[in-house]
Amino acid sequence: MFGSEVLDVAIGLILVYLLLSLFATAVREAVESVFKTRAVFLEAGIRELLDDRLGRGLAKEFYEHPLIYSLYKGPYHPGKENEEAIAETQARERMTGANLPTYIPATSFSTALVDLVVRGPATAEDSDLQRETITLDSLRTGISLIGSAHVRRALLIAVDDAKGDLDRAKANIEGWFDASMTRVSGWYKRRTHYWLMLIGLISTLALNV
């Protein structure tokens, strides 16, 4: 009889805490739908990857590229920021992802970046540069014009390792992107864990569980 009562209590506790965990997850998803923190972390990761902390250079051109621009609605706005604080911390995080995409395929990233490097930003003006054929030679030439030494080196390594194959160079750039996104996923997971712990604690105290 005693064992049965203990088992009943244990099952009851499991069900209660299961419901609380489901509630915390639902609240977290509701917060995510409002603030779109996945998009926040994705943009932060891309800004860091492209060495454009303020989002006014290569990262802005990337988000405005036709292949990426089609993934979200409205124009890309870097947002307002305190430049002195940025100079001190060398980082900035949006409060909300607004209309930005929460996911960008690696193939879209590499294709858009290679196109940007070779042909420059997408504009309404028709020029020889806009019609430039993408080859490893033209890609290497475009890389030499990139302002960031870190991005230049990363892309040159991708081109050198391609052994003359443009598709392999793009695959190397995709691998570079995927490696960075693994770290971004870690940022998001840690933030999610903090939110779930906070929601669970508040729920437990409020319901006197």
Side-chain angles (χ1 to χ4, degrees), residues 51-199:
D51 197 16
D52 181 14
R53 304 282 182 172
L54 298 180
R56 296 174 180 172
L58 188 56
K60 185 175 188 296
E61 293 173 358
F62 172 79
Y63 269 97
E64 291 178 345
H65 188 277
L67 290 179
I68 307 302
Y69 190 78
S70 62
L71 298 178
Y72 63 97
K73 296 180 180 179
Y76 171 76
H77 294 295
K80 297 179 180 179
E81 65 280 315
N82 184 328
E83 296 195 18
E84 292 182 0
I86 292 172
E88 293 177 0
T89 63
Q90 290 297 303
R92 184 185 69 84
E93 183 177 299
R94 287 173 175 267
M95 292 300 296
T96 172
N99 61 330
L100 296 180
T102 58
Y103 173 74
I104 295 177
T107 53
S108 296
F109 174 85
S110 65
T111 302
L113 184 59
V114 167
D115 183 70
L116 275 175
V117 171
V118 175
R119 296 171 175 160
T123 65
E125 298 179 3
D126 187 19
S127 64
D128 292 339
L129 180 62
Q130 294 286 332
R131 296 191 300 271
E132 177 75 25
T133 301
I134 297 177
T135 63
L136 277 182
D137 290 336
S138 63
L139 177 57
R140 184 180 290 276
T141 300
I143 290 172
S144 65
L145 301 177
I146 295 176
S148 169
H150 296 289
V151 177
R152 282 201 310 270
R153 180 64 62 85
L155 293 180
L156 283 174
I157 291 173
V159 171
D160 291 340
D161 287 347
K163 308 300 182 183
D165 187 342
L166 179 59
D167 290 334
R168 185 173 175 183
K170 289 183 178 180
N172 291 338
I173 295 173
E174 291 172 18
W176 177 48
F177 174 75
D178 286 336
S180 177
M181 290 305 101
T182 298
R183 189 158 58 104
V184 171
S185 296
W187 297 346
Y188 180 76
K189 288 178 181 178
R190 284 193 296 272
R191 176 65 64 85
T192 298
H193 290 162
Y194 295 150
W195 269 103
L196 291 176
M197 289 177 63
L198 178 62
I199 295 170

Side-chain angles (χ1 to χ4, degrees), residues 26-60:
V27 172
R28 170 59 187 143
E29 287 301 316
V31 172
E32 164 62 28
S33 67
V34 174
F35 291 99
K36 293 188 67 176
T37 50
R38 290 188 184 94
V40 171
F41 284 108
L42 176 59
E43 191 217 14
I46 288 177
R47 286 191 184 199
E48 184 170 316
L49 185 66
L50 299 180
D51 197 16
D52 181 14
R53 304 282 182 172
L54 298 180
R56 296 174 180 172
L58 188 56
K60 185 175 188 296

